[in-house]
Amino acid sequence: MWRFRGSKEPPTLTPESAKMIMSVTGFSVDQVQAMFDEFVAMHPSGQINKKRLRHMFHQSLPKMEKITDHLFRLLDSNGDGKIDFSGCLSYITSKMEYSYS
């Protein structure tokens, strides 16, 4: 789903990935690209590790910080210890599909 152009260049969203996300979410290509761009702007490596997720939860939802381990396991779809854009969207879209079924 990710295409890395090299270690010094930011990750890019492939057309195939954008199409898949659009088909599942109903978002336009511009919306998907905007979300991807925002994710990469916040996380230049294109990934979030568990420490960063905990920090984000602590800043925005201090009382919910305890669920970060569980949430991290859900979002780390490939088990590599990092969450990427596709991991986040996979979780969100699976919940959207469940709620509409």
Side-chain angles (χ1 to χ4, degrees):
M1 182 159 253
W2 288 99
R3 180 180 298 154
F4 292 96
R5 287 189 238 156
S7 60
K8 294 188 179 194
E9 292 188 43
T12 59
L13 183 65
T14 64
E16 299 82 21
S17 297
K19 286 179 187 176
M20 185 278 300
I21 294 166
M22 291 165 46
S23 70
V24 174
T25 63
F27 295 140
S28 70
V29 68
D30 292 336
Q31 289 171 311
V32 171
Q33 188 64 55
M35 288 187 294
F36 178 82
D37 292 344
E38 185 174 335
F39 184 90
V40 172
M42 291 171 52
H43 314 286
S45 70
Q47 301 173 327
I48 304 170
N49 62 24
K50 192 182 290 188
K51 182 178 177 181
R52 177 69 179 138
L53 184 68
R54 281 189 180 141
H55 178 73
M56 290 167 50
F57 263 80
H58 180 72
Q59 285 185 318
S60 58
L61 303 164
K63 293 181 181 180
M64 300 294 287
E65 188 176 2
K66 292 180 181 179
I67 68 164
T68 56
D69 289 339
H70 178 67
L71 181 62
F72 192 86
R73 282 191 305 275
L74 290 172
L75 296 175
D76 183 15
S77 57
N78 64 1
D80 68 353
K82 297 174 183 160
I83 302 168
D84 59 18
F85 185 69
S86 63
C88 290
L89 276 185
S90 294
Y91 179 75
I92 292 167
T93 54
S94 70
K95 293 302 173 192
M96 289 173 62
E97 288 172 351
Y98 175 78
S99 66
Y100 288 109
S101 61

